[in-house]
Amino acid sequence: MAVPVDPKLKIVKGDAGYVLEDVPHLADYLSDLPTYPNPLQTNPAYSVVRQYFVHEDDTVTQKIVVHKDSPRGTHFRRAGPRQKVYFEADEVHACIVTCGGLCPGLNTVIREIVCGLYYMYGVTKVLGIEGGYSGFYSRNTIDLTPRIVNDIHKRGGTILGTSRGGHDTSKIVDSIHDRGINQVYIIGGDGTQRGASAIFEEVRRRGLKVAVAGVPKTIDNDIPVIDRSFGFDTAVEEAQRAINAAHVEAESMDNGIGLVKLMGRYSGFIAMYATLASRDVDCCLIPESPFFLEGRGGLFDFIEKRLKEIGHMVLVIAEGAGQDLLSESLQSMNQQDASGNKLLKDVGLWISQRIKDHFAREQKMSINLKYIDPTYMIRAIPSNAADNVYCTLLAQSAVHGAMAGFAGFVVGPVNGRHSYIPFNHITETQNQVVITDRMWARLLSSTNQPSFLNPKDVGKIQKEEEPPTQLLEGENCKDSNFATKDILI
């Protein structure tokens, strides 16, 4: 029998080590709320569906590989439509806001939230907040209808505009209350979701009937718990164009080096997957894996050997890699942008110059280096087919959750099943490549690059790294789930 442990965090424990980390509900702090039959029961589109609704006791496990005596572990509430809803269609006044950097799929999420509310639940009042969080109190808004958003998924960027920072919880909640908004859909990364959590806490403190739903967004795929973030699939696919161009340039010149810088401020997932997909990359450098330049076994030594072997090479580097080596950036290491992200120096320009300087100084061989930075080209494109489908499921899951009265949550797939996840799980940590994991070993075997680590460094990293919370035969869960699972509601 499951019993509540912490009412504020909504942690419930059951038999055999079962733990449910539930999300807040309007009924937790508002009494005597009326409920209504879910209109999907009479929706023609759902007439052929054998089971309309998610059972109230359905939960999704965070860890799917266990031993026979293992505890059942942490679970999250399964996403999807419920039999009863806490809002009538005419009562709903929803709003959507996008924050942070651009990412493929933003317009698709906006479109599917609007269309999901309209076609599934009959909601006609949806407001777009322009320019990120500051748009709430700057009075910048746009009415959103299915007609207006009909083809926006074919465009990159976000029709609502975006910005970093501008979060003033009190002003935002004042605006929500003054406008009569009762459903808030917030699309953004971990910093944005921290803001969403603060908005929900203020809403709950004031006792407002407002559901706050977060749709996590980061092109770097560094959001924890969920299988992957939208836009990541598109980014990996588009990165192939830059890598292919670098390979052509390098292969066409004597001692040609093609250097590609990809996104990855703290996590090297894009660089790792793009490298594995390409098979033309000779070396991949990511933030999680330290490397050194000079001396035996260093990067320069490896480049020289590879050029002597095959006459050209392709090097992929994530934007956050090697920041500790940029001695001239030490004064700016603690500076942050408006979203709280650490400001980084351009490691691509830096390392390209260091490579040129090294070979010019050593005079062992003449090199031809071409540097490609496709960052903004990748961020600005529309999402591909896989991400479009994924964005649709995220948006619809968020709509179902808000209509069902869940008041503060983030939606995302956990082991292939969409779930409602507490804000703290998304905002407290970041997902990173585990370099002692088999996926990184696969990359090393693909590129035939050295690890740039000595045994002492490996032992130190193994001690510092905590085991991933979701494992598949010893692998990092995100690595294992990417492009291998059907993402289901």
Side-chain angles (χ1 to χ4, degrees), residues 26 29 87 91-97 117 125-129 135-137 139-143 171-186 199 203 208-213:
L26 292 172
Y29 62 93
F87 295 93
E91 173 193 1
V92 175
H93 189 187
C95 75
I96 306 171
V97 64
L117 285 167
K125 292 183 291 185
V126 184
L127 202 62
I129 306 297
F136 275 103
Y137 47 87
R139 304 280 177 182
N140 300 323
T141 62
I142 179 175
D143 291 325
K171 286 184 178 180
I172 291 172
V173 177
D174 286 344
S175 175
I176 290 170
H177 183 58
D178 293 344
R179 297 174 192 269
I181 293 170
N182 50 24
Q183 290 187 10
V184 183
Y185 297 91
I186 300 175
I199 290 170
V203 163
L208 303 179
K209 186 184 178 183
V210 177
V212 180

Side-chain angles (χ1 to χ4, degrees), residues 9 21-22 193 197 224 410 421-429:
L9 294 178
E21 298 206 15
D22 207 352
Q193 299 309 326
S197 178
V410 174
I421 305 163
F423 280 119
N424 64 288
H425 270 279
I426 300 300
T427 60
E428 288 179 352
T429 61

Side-chain angles (χ1 to χ4, degrees), residues 14-273:
D15 296 336
Y18 173 92
V19 178
L20 169 62
E21 298 206 15
D22 207 352
V23 294
H25 194 277
L26 292 172
D28 295 340
Y29 62 93
L30 297 174
S31 59
D32 301 323
L33 287 176
T35 59
Y36 313 95
N38 194 316
L40 289 179
Q41 295 180 69
T42 57
N43 189 315
Y46 278 73
S47 62
V48 296
V49 178
R50 184 171 57 184
Q51 182 179 344
Y52 294 139
F53 306 116
V54 172
H55 192 280
E56 288 300 320
D57 290 335
D58 279 1
T59 58
V60 177
T61 182
Q62 187 177 6
K63 188 174 181 180
I64 57 174
V65 176
V66 297
H67 299 290
K68 62 180 181 179
D69 298 324
S70 299
R72 295 174 64 188
T74 300
H75 292 65
F76 301 109
R77 189 166 293 280
R78 187 184 176 191
R82 267 58 181 176
Q83 284 188 320
K84 298 291 184 181
V85 296
Y86 282 74
F87 295 93
E88 289 188 294
D90 294 341
E91 173 193 1
V92 175
H93 189 187
C95 75
I96 306 171
V97 64
T98 53
C99 305
L102 294 183
C103 176
L106 281 168
N107 279 333
T108 305
V109 176
I110 295 169
R111 181 190 190 278
E112 296 309 317
I113 291 174
V114 174
C115 292
L117 285 167
Y118 188 92
Y119 293 118
M120 292 191 296
Y121 289 99
V123 173
T124 58
K125 292 183 291 185
V126 184
L127 202 62
I129 306 297
E130 294 185 316
Y133 275 136
S134 61
F136 275 103
Y137 47 87
S138 299
R139 304 280 177 182
N140 300 323
T141 62
I142 179 175
D143 291 325
L144 299 176
T145 66
R147 183 172 182 178
I148 289 174
V149 303
N150 181 58
D151 62 352
I152 64 172
H153 62 292
K154 300 175 184 177
R155 291 182 256 160
T158 164
I159 63 164
L160 300 179
T162 185
S163 65
R164 297 188 184 277
H167 187 278
D168 187 315
T169 303
S170 181
K171 286 184 178 180
I172 291 172
V173 177
D174 286 344
S175 175
I176 290 170
H177 183 58
D178 293 344
R179 297 174 192 269
I181 293 170
N182 50 24
Q183 290 187 10
V184 183
Y185 297 91
I186 300 175
I187 310 168
D190 56 349
T192 299
Q193 299 309 326
R194 277 192 291 272
S197 178
I199 290 170
F200 163 69
E201 293 297 337
E202 180 64 13
V203 163
R204 178 162 60 178
R205 188 188 68 81
R206 298 189 190 187
L208 303 179
K209 186 184 178 183
V210 177
V212 180
V215 180
K217 173 233 51 161
T218 168
I219 201 169
D220 293 347
N221 199 40
D222 59 2
I223 290 179
V225 181
I226 65 173
D227 296 344
R228 76 176 191 273
S229 54
F230 75 83
F232 174 68
D233 193 345
T234 305
V236 171
E237 183 176 304
E238 189 66 14
Q240 302 302 296
R241 296 176 182 267
I243 293 174
N244 290 341
H247 183 247
V248 169
E249 288 283 354
E251 198 175 34
S252 301
M253 306 288 289
D254 288 336
N255 294 327
I257 300 174
L259 173 62
V260 181
K261 187 186 77 170
L262 297 175
M263 290 83 72
R265 180 179 294 271
Y266 304 112
S267 303
F269 285 105
I270 293 178
M272 180 172 72
Y273 276 101

